[in-house]
PDB file of all heavy atoms in Angstrom:
ATOM      1  N   ALA A  11      18.604 -16.954   6.905  1.00  0.00           N
ATOM      2  CA  ALA A  11      18.132 -17.530   5.636  1.00  0.00           C
ATOM      3  C   ALA A  11      16.893 -16.793   5.151  1.00  0.00           C
ATOM      4  O   ALA A  11      15.820 -17.348   5.014  1.00  0.00           O
ATOM      5  CB  ALA A  11      17.819 -19.010   5.810  1.00  0.00           C
ATOM      6  N   THR A  12      17.029 -15.498   4.922  1.00  0.00           N
ATOM      7  CA  THR A  12      15.901 -14.724   4.413  1.00  0.00           C
ATOM      8  C   THR A  12      15.632 -15.133   2.965  1.00  0.00           C
ATOM      9  O   THR A  12      16.486 -14.953   2.099  1.00  0.00           O
ATOM     10  CB  THR A  12      16.211 -13.217   4.475  1.00  0.00           C
ATOM     11  OG1 THR A  12      16.510 -12.867   5.819  1.00  0.00           O
ATOM     12  CG2 THR A  12      15.025 -12.410   3.997  1.00  0.00           C
ATOM     13  N   PRO A  13      14.458 -15.692   2.672  1.00  0.00           N
ATOM     14  CA  PRO A  13      14.194 -16.163   1.313  1.00  0.00           C
ATOM     15  C   PRO A  13      14.063 -15.003   0.331  1.00  0.00           C
ATOM     16  O   PRO A  13      13.659 -13.896   0.707  1.00  0.00           O
ATOM     17  CB  PRO A  13      12.866 -16.921   1.459  1.00  0.00           C
ATOM     18  CG  PRO A  13      12.213 -16.302   2.648  1.00  0.00           C
ATOM     19  CD  PRO A  13      13.325 -15.931   3.583  1.00  0.00           C
ATOM     20  N   GLU A  14      14.404 -15.262  -0.910  1.00  0.00           N
ATOM     21  CA  GLU A  14      14.258 -14.250  -1.949  1.00  0.00           C
ATOM     22  C   GLU A  14      12.791 -14.020  -2.278  1.00  0.00           C
ATOM     23  O   GLU A  14      12.398 -12.908  -2.631  1.00  0.00           O
ATOM     24  CB  GLU A  14      15.001 -14.685  -3.212  1.00  0.00           C
ATOM     25  CG  GLU A  14      16.500 -14.821  -3.037  1.00  0.00           C
ATOM     26  CD  GLU A  14      17.157 -15.329  -4.298  1.00  0.00           C
ATOM     27  OE1 GLU A  14      16.666 -14.983  -5.392  1.00  0.00           O
ATOM     28  OE2 GLU A  14      18.145 -16.078  -4.202  1.00  0.00           O
ATOM     29  N   ASP A  15      11.992 -15.069  -2.173  1.00  0.00           N
ATOM     30  CA  ASP A  15      10.572 -14.979  -2.500  1.00  0.00           C
ATOM     31  C   ASP A  15       9.732 -15.151  -1.253  1.00  0.00           C
ATOM     32  O   ASP A  15      10.152 -15.780  -0.273  1.00  0.00           O
ATOM     33  CB  ASP A  15      10.192 -16.059  -3.524  1.00  0.00           C
ATOM     34  CG  ASP A  15      10.905 -15.870  -4.856  1.00  0.00           C
ATOM     35  OD1 ASP A  15      11.148 -14.712  -5.228  1.00  0.00           O
ATOM     36  OD2 ASP A  15      11.218 -16.877  -5.511  1.00  0.00           O
ATOM     37  N   VAL A  16       8.538 -14.577  -1.297  1.00  0.00           N
ATOM     38  CA  VAL A  16       7.585 -14.724  -0.202  1.00  0.00           C
ATOM     39  C   VAL A  16       6.267 -15.236  -0.768  1.00  0.00           C
ATOM     40  O   VAL A  16       6.020 -15.169  -1.974  1.00  0.00           O
ATOM     41  CB  VAL A  16       7.351 -13.383   0.527  1.00  0.00           C
ATOM     42  CG1 VAL A  16       8.641 -12.850   1.100  1.00  0.00           C
ATOM     43  CG2 VAL A  16       6.720 -12.357  -0.411  1.00  0.00           C
ATOM     44  N   THR A  17       5.427 -15.765   0.118  1.00  0.00           N
ATOM     45  CA  THR A  17       4.132 -16.297  -0.298  1.00  0.00           C
ATOM     46  C   THR A  17       3.019 -15.432   0.278  1.00  0.00           C
ATOM     47  O   THR A  17       2.988 -15.156   1.471  1.00  0.00           O
ATOM     48  CB  THR A  17       3.955 -17.746   0.184  1.00  0.00           C
ATOM     49  OG1 THR A  17       5.004 -18.547  -0.386  1.00  0.00           O
ATOM     50  CG2 THR A  17       2.608 -18.305  -0.263  1.00  0.00           C
ATOM     51  N   VAL A  18       2.132 -15.002  -0.601  1.00  0.00           N
ATOM     52  CA  VAL A  18       0.962 -14.212  -0.209  1.00  0.00           C
ATOM     53  C   VAL A  18      -0.279 -15.028  -0.548  1.00  0.00           C
ATOM     54  O   VAL A  18      -0.436 -15.482  -1.680  1.00  0.00           O
ATOM     55  CB  VAL A  18       0.928 -12.855  -0.940  1.00  0.00           C
ATOM     56  CG1 VAL A  18      -0.358 -12.086  -0.590  1.00  0.00           C
ATOM     57  CG2 VAL A  18       2.150 -12.031  -0.602  1.00  0.00           C
ATOM     58  N   VAL A  19      -1.134 -15.224   0.438  1.00  0.00           N
ATOM     59  CA  VAL A  19      -2.366 -15.989   0.234  1.00  0.00           C
ATOM     60  C   VAL A  19      -3.559 -15.045   0.371  1.00  0.00           C
ATOM     61  O   VAL A  19      -3.686 -14.334   1.377  1.00  0.00           O
ATOM     62  CB  VAL A  19      -2.494 -17.145   1.241  1.00  0.00           C
ATOM     63  CG1 VAL A  19      -3.807 -17.893   1.027  1.00  0.00           C
ATOM     64  CG2 VAL A  19      -1.308 -18.095   1.102  1.00  0.00           C
ATOM     65  N   VAL A  20      -4.415 -15.031  -0.644  1.00  0.00           N
ATOM     66  CA  VAL A  20      -5.663 -14.264  -0.618  1.00  0.00           C
ATOM     67  C   VAL A  20      -6.803 -15.267  -0.624  1.00  0.00           C
ATOM     68  O   VAL A  20      -6.958 -16.043  -1.577  1.00  0.00           O
ATOM     69  CB  VAL A  20      -5.768 -13.317  -1.827  1.00  0.00           C
ATOM     70  CG1 VAL A  20      -7.118 -12.585  -1.825  1.00  0.00           C
ATOM     71  CG2 VAL A  20      -4.611 -12.323  -1.834  1.00  0.00           C
ATOM     72  N   TRP A  21      -7.609 -15.265   0.433  1.00  0.00           N
ATOM     73  CA  TRP A  21      -8.693 -16.229   0.546  1.00  0.00           C
ATOM     74  C   TRP A  21      -9.960 -15.708  -0.118  1.00  0.00           C
ATOM     75  O   TRP A  21     -10.260 -14.515  -0.034  1.00  0.00           O
ATOM     76  CB  TRP A  21      -8.982 -16.532   2.019  1.00  0.00           C
ATOM     77  CG  TRP A  21      -7.900 -17.343   2.661  1.00  0.00           C
ATOM     78  CD1 TRP A  21      -6.910 -16.889   3.462  1.00  0.00           C
ATOM     79  CD2 TRP A  21      -7.690 -18.755   2.516  1.00  0.00           C
ATOM     80  NE1 TRP A  21      -6.076 -17.923   3.852  1.00  0.00           N
ATOM     81  CE2 TRP A  21      -6.540 -19.086   3.280  1.00  0.00           C
ATOM     82  CE3 TRP A  21      -8.352 -19.768   1.833  1.00  0.00           C
ATOM     83  CZ2 TRP A  21      -6.050 -20.385   3.369  1.00  0.00           C
ATOM     84  CZ3 TRP A  21      -7.864 -21.060   1.918  1.00  0.00           C
ATOM     85  CH2 TRP A  21      -6.732 -21.359   2.672  1.00  0.00           C
ATOM     86  N   PRO A  22     -10.728 -16.578  -0.775  1.00  0.00           N
ATOM     87  CA  PRO A  22     -12.003 -16.157  -1.360  1.00  0.00           C
ATOM     88  C   PRO A  22     -12.917 -15.569  -0.284  1.00  0.00           C
ATOM     89  O   PRO A  22     -13.024 -16.112   0.819  1.00  0.00           O
ATOM     90  CB  PRO A  22     -12.586 -17.461  -1.926  1.00  0.00           C
ATOM     91  CG  PRO A  22     -11.401 -18.363  -2.133  1.00  0.00           C
ATOM     92  CD  PRO A  22     -10.442 -18.013  -1.035  1.00  0.00           C
ATOM     93  N   GLY A  23     -13.558 -14.461  -0.610  1.00  0.00           N
ATOM     94  CA  GLY A  23     -14.484 -13.845   0.322  1.00  0.00           C
ATOM     95  C   GLY A  23     -13.877 -12.781   1.200  1.00  0.00           C
ATOM     96  O   GLY A  23     -14.593 -12.104   1.943  1.00  0.00           O
ATOM     97  N   TRP A  24     -12.554 -12.609   1.137  1.00  0.00           N
ATOM     98  CA  TRP A  24     -11.926 -11.529   1.898  1.00  0.00           C
ATOM     99  C   TRP A  24     -12.244 -10.189   1.246  1.00  0.00           C
ATOM    100  O   TRP A  24     -12.271 -10.071   0.012  1.00  0.00           O
ATOM    101  CB  TRP A  24     -10.413 -11.699   1.929  1.00  0.00           C
ATOM    102  CG  TRP A  24      -9.915 -12.517   3.081  1.00  0.00           C
ATOM    103  CD1 TRP A  24     -10.645 -13.137   4.039  1.00  0.00           C
ATOM    104  CD2 TRP A  24      -8.533 -12.800   3.379  1.00  0.00           C
ATOM    105  NE1 TRP A  24      -9.817 -13.793   4.925  1.00  0.00           N
ATOM    106  CE2 TRP A  24      -8.519 -13.602   4.548  1.00  0.00           C
ATOM    107  CE3 TRP A  24      -7.326 -12.458   2.777  1.00  0.00           C
ATOM    108  CZ2 TRP A  24      -7.339 -14.057   5.123  1.00  0.00           C
ATOM    109  CZ3 TRP A  24      -6.146 -12.914   3.337  1.00  0.00           C
ATOM    110  CH2 TRP A  24      -6.151 -13.708   4.505  1.00  0.00           C
ATOM    111  N   ARG A  25     -12.463  -9.162   2.051  1.00  0.00           N
ATOM    112  CA  ARG A  25     -12.494  -7.800   1.542  1.00  0.00           C
ATOM    113  C   ARG A  25     -11.071  -7.258   1.587  1.00  0.00           C
ATOM    114  O   ARG A  25     -10.185  -7.844   2.216  1.00  0.00           O
ATOM    115  CB  ARG A  25     -13.466  -6.937   2.346  1.00  0.00           C
ATOM    116  CG  ARG A  25     -13.250  -6.943   3.832  1.00  0.00           C
ATOM    117  CD  ARG A  25     -14.398  -6.265   4.578  1.00  0.00           C
ATOM    118  NE  ARG A  25     -14.374  -4.820   4.424  1.00  0.00           N
ATOM    119  CZ  ARG A  25     -15.374  -4.008   4.776  1.00  0.00           C
ATOM    120  NH1 ARG A  25     -16.492  -4.520   5.292  1.00  0.00           N
ATOM    121  NH2 ARG A  25     -15.288  -2.706   4.607  1.00  0.00           N
ATOM    122  N   MET A  26     -10.833  -6.129   0.938  1.00  0.00           N
ATOM    123  CA  MET A  26      -9.447  -5.669   0.774  1.00  0.00           C
ATOM    124  C   MET A  26      -8.757  -5.416   2.118  1.00  0.00           C
ATOM    125  O   MET A  26      -7.550  -5.614   2.248  1.00  0.00           O
ATOM    126  CB  MET A  26      -9.405  -4.408  -0.098  1.00  0.00           C
ATOM    127  CG  MET A  26      -9.961  -3.165   0.544  1.00  0.00           C
ATOM    128  SD  MET A  26      -9.622  -1.681  -0.433  1.00  0.00           S
ATOM    129  CE  MET A  26     -10.688  -1.971  -1.842  1.00  0.00           C
ATOM    130  N   GLU A  27      -9.523  -5.010   3.133  1.00  0.00           N
ATOM    131  CA  GLU A  27      -8.912  -4.768   4.439  1.00  0.00           C
ATOM    132  C   GLU A  27      -8.365  -6.050   5.054  1.00  0.00           C
ATOM    133  O   GLU A  27      -7.365  -6.020   5.779  1.00  0.00           O
ATOM    134  CB  GLU A  27      -9.922  -4.131   5.390  1.00  0.00           C
ATOM    135  CG  GLU A  27     -10.327  -2.711   5.037  1.00  0.00           C
ATOM    136  CD  GLU A  27     -11.486  -2.643   4.062  1.00  0.00           C
ATOM    137  OE1 GLU A  27     -11.890  -3.709   3.534  1.00  0.00           O
ATOM    138  OE2 GLU A  27     -11.997  -1.529   3.822  1.00  0.00           O
ATOM    139  N   GLU A  28      -9.018  -7.182   4.778  1.00  0.00           N
ATOM    140  CA  GLU A  28      -8.537  -8.456   5.310  1.00  0.00           C
ATOM    141  C   GLU A  28      -7.251  -8.888   4.606  1.00  0.00           C
ATOM    142  O   GLU A  28      -6.363  -9.462   5.224  1.00  0.00           O
ATOM    143  CB  GLU A  28      -9.623  -9.516   5.177  1.00  0.00           C
ATOM    144  CG  GLU A  28     -10.812  -9.262   6.096  1.00  0.00           C
ATOM    145  CD  GLU A  28     -11.937 -10.248   5.879  1.00  0.00           C
ATOM    146  OE1 GLU A  28     -12.618 -10.143   4.831  1.00  0.00           O
ATOM    147  OE2 GLU A  28     -12.150 -11.115   6.739  1.00  0.00           O
ATOM    148  N   ILE A  29      -7.171  -8.613   3.309  1.00  0.00           N
ATOM    149  CA  ILE A  29      -5.919  -8.872   2.593  1.00  0.00           C
ATOM    150  C   ILE A  29      -4.812  -8.021   3.205  1.00  0.00           C
ATOM    151  O   ILE A  29      -3.707  -8.498   3.474  1.00  0.00           O
ATOM    152  CB  ILE A  29      -6.066  -8.556   1.095  1.00  0.00           C
ATOM    153  CG1 ILE A  29      -7.178  -9.400   0.465  1.00  0.00           C
ATOM    154  CG2 ILE A  29      -4.737  -8.778   0.366  1.00  0.00           C
ATOM    155  CD1 ILE A  29      -7.486  -9.023  -0.977  1.00  0.00           C
ATOM    156  N   ALA A  30      -5.141  -6.753   3.442  1.00  0.00           N
ATOM    157  CA  ALA A  30      -4.155  -5.823   3.991  1.00  0.00           C
ATOM    158  C   ALA A  30      -3.647  -6.296   5.344  1.00  0.00           C
ATOM    159  O   ALA A  30      -2.442  -6.230   5.626  1.00  0.00           O
ATOM    160  CB  ALA A  30      -4.774  -4.432   4.115  1.00  0.00           C
ATOM    161  N   GLU A  31      -4.547  -6.780   6.187  1.00  0.00           N
ATOM    162  CA  GLU A  31      -4.157  -7.220   7.533  1.00  0.00           C
ATOM    163  C   GLU A  31      -3.224  -8.423   7.508  1.00  0.00           C
ATOM    164  O   GLU A  31      -2.479  -8.657   8.461  1.00  0.00           O
ATOM    165  CB  GLU A  31      -5.411  -7.556   8.339  1.00  0.00           C
ATOM    166  CG  GLU A  31      -6.216  -6.326   8.748  1.00  0.00           C
ATOM    167  CD  GLU A  31      -7.534  -6.684   9.397  1.00  0.00           C
ATOM    168  OE1 GLU A  31      -7.902  -7.889   9.377  1.00  0.00           O
ATOM    169  OE2 GLU A  31      -8.205  -5.783   9.928  1.00  0.00           O
ATOM    170  N   SER A  32      -3.255  -9.204   6.424  1.00  0.00           N
ATOM    171  CA  SER A  32      -2.402 -10.397   6.345  1.00  0.00           C
ATOM    172  C   SER A  32      -0.980 -10.077   5.909  1.00  0.00           C
ATOM    173  O   SER A  32      -0.073 -10.900   6.079  1.00  0.00           O
ATOM    174  CB  SER A  32      -3.005 -11.406   5.360  1.00  0.00           C
ATOM    175  OG  SER A  32      -2.826 -10.975   4.006  1.00  0.00           O
ATOM    176  N   LEU A  33      -0.747  -8.889   5.351  1.00  0.00           N
ATOM    177  CA  LEU A  33       0.550  -8.584   4.734  1.00  0.00           C
ATOM    178  C   LEU A  33       1.719  -8.518   5.701  1.00  0.00           C
ATOM    179  O   LEU A  33       2.834  -8.920   5.332  1.00  0.00           O
ATOM    180  CB  LEU A  33       0.447  -7.283   3.936  1.00  0.00           C
ATOM    181  CG  LEU A  33      -0.497  -7.343   2.726  1.00  0.00           C
ATOM    182  CD1 LEU A  33      -0.547  -5.991   2.023  1.00  0.00           C
ATOM    183  CD2 LEU A  33      -0.067  -8.430   1.754  1.00  0.00           C
ATOM    184  N   PRO A  34       1.553  -8.021   6.935  1.00  0.00           N
ATOM    185  CA  PRO A  34       2.721  -7.959   7.831  1.00  0.00           C
ATOM    186  C   PRO A  34       3.369  -9.304   8.117  1.00  0.00           C
ATOM    187  O   PRO A  34       4.528  -9.351   8.516  1.00  0.00           O
ATOM    188  CB  PRO A  34       2.131  -7.341   9.113  1.00  0.00           C
ATOM    189  CG  PRO A  34       0.989  -6.509   8.637  1.00  0.00           C
ATOM    190  CD  PRO A  34       0.397  -7.296   7.498  1.00  0.00           C
ATOM    191  N   THR A  35       2.656 -10.406   7.917  1.00  0.00           N
ATOM    192  CA  THR A  35       3.234 -11.728   8.184  1.00  0.00           C
ATOM    193  C   THR A  35       3.832 -12.373   6.930  1.00  0.00           C
ATOM    194  O   THR A  35       4.349 -13.479   7.006  1.00  0.00           O
ATOM    195  CB  THR A  35       2.158 -12.671   8.758  1.00  0.00           C
ATOM    196  OG1 THR A  35       1.112 -12.859   7.786  1.00  0.00           O
ATOM    197  CG2 THR A  35       1.560 -12.098  10.029  1.00  0.00           C
ATOM    198  N   THR A  36       3.756 -11.688   5.781  1.00  0.00           N
ATOM    199  CA  THR A  36       4.228 -12.294   4.534  1.00  0.00           C
ATOM    200  C   THR A  36       5.708 -12.076   4.269  1.00  0.00           C
ATOM    201  O   THR A  36       6.319 -12.833   3.513  1.00  0.00           O
ATOM    202  CB  THR A  36       3.442 -11.737   3.337  1.00  0.00           C
ATOM    203  OG1 THR A  36       3.719 -10.319   3.213  1.00  0.00           O
ATOM    204  CG2 THR A  36       1.944 -11.962   3.510  1.00  0.00           C
ATOM    205  N   GLY A  37       6.285 -11.036   4.859  1.00  0.00           N
ATOM    206  CA  GLY A  37       7.667 -10.691   4.544  1.00  0.00           C
ATOM    207  C   GLY A  37       7.782  -9.552   3.554  1.00  0.00           C
ATOM    208  O   GLY A  37       8.883  -9.070   3.281  1.00  0.00           O
ATOM    209  N   LEU A  38       6.648  -9.089   2.997  1.00  0.00           N
ATOM    210  CA  LEU A  38       6.670  -7.935   2.108  1.00  0.00           C
ATOM    211  C   LEU A  38       6.743  -6.654   2.939  1.00  0.00           C
ATOM    212  O   LEU A  38       6.155  -6.557   4.015  1.00  0.00           O
ATOM    213  CB  LEU A  38       5.410  -7.897   1.238  1.00  0.00           C
ATOM    214  CG  LEU A  38       5.259  -8.979   0.171  1.00  0.00           C
ATOM    215  CD1 LEU A  38       3.932  -8.819  -0.551  1.00  0.00           C
ATOM    216  CD2 LEU A  38       6.413  -8.940  -0.822  1.00  0.00           C
ATOM    217  N   ASP A  39       7.436  -5.683   2.404  1.00  0.00           N
ATOM    218  CA  ASP A  39       7.558  -4.396   3.095  1.00  0.00           C
ATOM    219  C   ASP A  39       6.411  -3.486   2.638  1.00  0.00           C
ATOM    220  O   ASP A  39       6.629  -2.439   2.018  1.00  0.00           O
ATOM    221  CB  ASP A  39       8.915  -3.764   2.790  1.00  0.00           C
ATOM    222  CG  ASP A  39       9.177  -2.514   3.618  1.00  0.00           C
ATOM    223  OD1 ASP A  39       8.497  -2.342   4.653  1.00  0.00           O
ATOM    224  OD2 ASP A  39      10.045  -1.713   3.224  1.00  0.00           O
ATOM    225  N   ILE A  40       5.185  -3.925   2.933  1.00  0.00           N
ATOM    226  CA  ILE A  40       3.976  -3.188   2.558  1.00  0.00           C
ATOM    227  C   ILE A  40       3.087  -3.105   3.789  1.00  0.00           C
ATOM    228  O   ILE A  40       2.734  -4.133   4.373  1.00  0.00           O
ATOM    229  CB  ILE A  40       3.211  -3.890   1.414  1.00  0.00           C
ATOM    230  CG1 ILE A  40       4.098  -4.014   0.168  1.00  0.00           C
ATOM    231  CG2 ILE A  40       1.932  -3.117   1.080  1.00  0.00           C
ATOM    232  CD1 ILE A  40       3.459  -4.830  -0.941  1.00  0.00           C
ATOM    233  N   THR A  41       2.709  -1.903   4.169  1.00  0.00           N
ATOM    234  CA  THR A  41       1.846  -1.755   5.327  1.00  0.00           C
ATOM    235  C   THR A  41       0.392  -1.938   4.920  1.00  0.00           C
ATOM    236  O   THR A  41       0.031  -1.736   3.749  1.00  0.00           O
ATOM    237  CB  THR A  41       2.007  -0.368   5.971  1.00  0.00           C
ATOM    238  OG1 THR A  41       1.484   0.628   5.061  1.00  0.00           O
ATOM    239  CG2 THR A  41       3.470  -0.070   6.272  1.00  0.00           C
ATOM    240  N   PRO A  42      -0.478  -2.324   5.859  1.00  0.00           N
ATOM    241  CA  PRO A  42      -1.903  -2.442   5.544  1.00  0.00           C
ATOM    242  C   PRO A  42      -2.491  -1.160   4.962  1.00  0.00           C
ATOM    243  O   PRO A  42      -3.273  -1.209   4.004  1.00  0.00           O
ATOM    244  CB  PRO A  42      -2.524  -2.801   6.893  1.00  0.00           C
ATOM    245  CG  PRO A  42      -1.436  -3.536   7.616  1.00  0.00           C
ATOM    246  CD  PRO A  42      -0.181  -2.827   7.219  1.00  0.00           C
ATOM    247  N   ASP A  43      -2.114  -0.019   5.521  1.00  0.00           N
ATOM    248  CA  ASP A  43      -2.652   1.249   5.021  1.00  0.00           C
ATOM    249  C   ASP A  43      -2.228   1.513   3.582  1.00  0.00           C
ATOM    250  O   ASP A  43      -3.024   2.020   2.769  1.00  0.00           O
ATOM    251  CB  ASP A  43      -2.184   2.406   5.913  1.00  0.00           C
ATOM    252  CG  ASP A  43      -2.882   2.422   7.262  1.00  0.00           C
ATOM    253  OD1 ASP A  43      -3.915   1.726   7.406  1.00  0.00           O
ATOM    254  OD2 ASP A  43      -2.397   3.114   8.171  1.00  0.00           O
ATOM    255  N   GLU A  44      -0.987   1.167   3.251  1.00  0.00           N
ATOM    256  CA  GLU A  44      -0.514   1.353   1.874  1.00  0.00           C
ATOM    257  C   GLU A  44      -1.314   0.497   0.904  1.00  0.00           C
ATOM    258  O   GLU A  44      -1.680   0.945  -0.195  1.00  0.00           O
ATOM    259  CB  GLU A  44       0.974   0.996   1.779  1.00  0.00           C
ATOM    260  CG  GLU A  44       1.909   2.006   2.430  1.00  0.00           C
ATOM    261  CD  GLU A  44       3.342   1.522   2.456  1.00  0.00           C
ATOM    262  OE1 GLU A  44       3.571   0.296   2.380  1.00  0.00           O
ATOM    263  OE2 GLU A  44       4.240   2.372   2.566  1.00  0.00           O
ATOM    264  N   PHE A  45      -1.603  -0.744   1.313  1.00  0.00           N
ATOM    265  CA  PHE A  45      -2.345  -1.627   0.425  1.00  0.00           C
ATOM    266  C   PHE A  45      -3.772  -1.133   0.219  1.00  0.00           C
ATOM    267  O   PHE A  45      -4.274  -1.103  -0.914  1.00  0.00           O
ATOM    268  CB  PHE A  45      -2.369  -3.053   0.973  1.00  0.00           C
ATOM    269  CG  PHE A  45      -3.125  -4.004   0.089  1.00  0.00           C
ATOM    270  CD1 PHE A  45      -2.507  -4.574  -1.016  1.00  0.00           C
ATOM    271  CD2 PHE A  45      -4.456  -4.318   0.332  1.00  0.00           C
ATOM    272  CE1 PHE A  45      -3.207  -5.438  -1.865  1.00  0.00           C
ATOM    273  CE2 PHE A  45      -5.149  -5.177  -0.495  1.00  0.00           C
ATOM    274  CZ  PHE A  45      -4.528  -5.739  -1.597  1.00  0.00           C
ATOM    275  N   VAL A  46      -4.446  -0.745   1.295  1.00  0.00           N
ATOM    276  CA  VAL A  46      -5.828  -0.264   1.182  1.00  0.00           C
ATOM    277  C   VAL A  46      -5.888   0.978   0.293  1.00  0.00           C
ATOM    278  O   VAL A  46      -6.796   1.124  -0.531  1.00  0.00           O
ATOM    279  CB  VAL A  46      -6.423   0.025   2.572  1.00  0.00           C
ATOM    280  CG1 VAL A  46      -7.755   0.744   2.454  1.00  0.00           C
ATOM    281  CG2 VAL A  46      -6.607  -1.280   3.345  1.00  0.00           C
ATOM    282  N   ALA A  47      -4.899   1.860   0.438  1.00  0.00           N
ATOM    283  CA  ALA A  47      -4.871   3.063  -0.386  1.00  0.00           C
ATOM    284  C   ALA A  47      -4.690   2.725  -1.857  1.00  0.00           C
ATOM    285  O   ALA A  47      -5.351   3.306  -2.739  1.00  0.00           O
ATOM    286  CB  ALA A  47      -3.762   4.002   0.085  1.00  0.00           C
ATOM    287  N   ALA A  48      -3.809   1.761  -2.145  1.00  0.00           N
ATOM    288  CA  ALA A  48      -3.536   1.392  -3.537  1.00  0.00           C
ATOM    289  C   ALA A  48      -4.702   0.613  -4.149  1.00  0.00           C
ATOM    290  O   ALA A  48      -5.123   0.889  -5.273  1.00  0.00           O
ATOM    291  CB  ALA A  48      -2.252   0.578  -3.619  1.00  0.00           C
TER     292      ALA A  48
END
């Protein structure tokens, strides 16, 4: 039952690296390094 949509949570006070570190658990096919670069 792979959902069509995923949920991404960005907490106030996070720096971009912390957002990046959370992505592997969201279901998005985005690596932390890709996010930091973008």
